[in-house]
Amino acid sequence: MCSGLAFASRAQGAEPDATGACPVPDEARAEDWPGQRQWERLEAEGYRLGELRVEVQEVYVGSDLAWYQQLANTLHAKTDRHAVRDLLTVSPGEPVTAARIYEAERILRSQPFFTQARILPAHCDGDQVTADVRVRDAWTLQLDVGFGSAGGESESSVGFQDENFFGTGKSVLLDWSDDSERTTLQFGYEDPSLLGTPWTLGLSHSELSDGRADAVSVGYPFRRVDQLWGFRAEFDDAESEIGFEVAERTAFETETDRQQADIELRRLVSLGSSGGWRVGLGWQRDYAEYGPLQEENPELRPPPDLVDRRLQGPYLSLERFSTRYRTFRNLRAIGKNEDYALGSRSRVVGGRYVDGASSDNPWFFEIDIDHGLPVGSRNLLLTRLNLSARYRDDSGEEAWYRSIAADYYHRTSPHNTIVVHGEYDWRDNQDPEDELYLGGFEGMLAYPDRFRVGDRRWLLHLEDRYVSDTILFDTIQVGYTAYLEAGNIRELDGRWGKPLADVGFGLRLGSLRSSFGSVSYLTVAFPLVDDGQEDDYSIVAGTTVNF
């Protein structure tokens, strides 16, 4: 270990520590991310990166593993070191930059097939530091074979999904299912480092008894903040049925054929100590054709206005990004390091559709603003604003989408977090598939899914989360939760309904070893306002809360 005197003598060209020990920071100050102070010390002393030794740990680690842990490790294909190196954004020989080390860690942690990722200085020799790149594999294989029968109806499914196929870091999905509504055959493939390059590829195909869906995405994402160019191209083509529901009952149905595309080339134009700017040029396409409206229960709600769209055209974008991040633990996830951007990030898009089918071509724009504000050393406030619109000069026709949301995480202890979530959404002349719902998975967990439909919605969610030290089978960390919700929606007739409220409590379970869903809920929710719902309580299960 080196003292402050060693720091001064190294600046004058003194010999390094003969034991190979790396300098350690002199001050015990707070860190935004683990290891920050030591990497900043190495950066200040002018070290360069030497060898990067990749170490991949199994899903379960230890000398005395249970039989199911040994079996899981045997069945699991360990991530190949080359797949890790393909994702690294730092390389031997470059000067040590603490911010870039942290950036490389964040990229590794963002991969679903890793549960942990750290880059640690191992030893120093001359002006070079050997670093250990340590990642821990997640369980990525999911097999599904199911059959059920109820009420004279039956359903069955067979599925295979692996987010780290044979340890390559590629994701493969093959799934077949059959139920009372449709038969579906689905295939998917995702590659975060195509042919060992920074390019990404995504493919999916779904064959449905009532339609089909295809999607292709190709990208060259901004992995490094100083990267000059980035590119993305996304194409979606789907034929399917859309149901317009109220309280889990279908009022109307229609068939739709949608084609969407978005191609954008972006360039870095400015980079400072706290963030930078990028500009982009893109092309957007939005086609939608609707079939005849089929009535199921028309008394439940007014019919949707089905207007075909043929929109395509160029746009310009301007993006402000932040280079400030902080690592937290047990905010949204359980047992994992979570990286959140601090400061403001914004993106403005503006363009005009040049649809040949109409002389009244609409202008369009979109504004997204995100802000992360640390409150003290343990608390975090996240806010989001989204505004998008289409406007036609001649007809004055407008379509507006607006959304404001905020999440506040207050840490009362390393185990306990109080979460406050609020959101307000409002829309005017929205497309048929973009209606707002309230209830179930759309907010208000005690009420039926899609309980109400409308064009204005507000929701408040207050939750107390406690993460215990109890870990089941070295796989599931047990947590507890209690929550209170309130919300309302302005229905399609332009009138606000009765405000709804519910309360719930139960288990909040963190998956420590799997890539499929970090946190799952198993709770009971009780409605506090009676608005004609049939059940006095609801069992809430699954990854139902995403904040």
Side-chain angles (χ1 to χ4, degrees), residues 36 57 109 126 159 211 327 344 370 389 400 517-518:
Q36 177 185 3
Q57 294 183 323
R109 276 197 289 268
T327 299
S344 294
D370 296 86
W400 287 86
S518 173

Side-chain angles (χ1 to χ4, degrees), residues 255-266:
E255 294 182 353
T256 179
D257 184 356
R258 294 197 64 188
Q259 299 177 19
Q260 294 181 301
D262 197 339
I263 305 172
E264 184 180 15
L265 179 67
R266 290 184 288 169

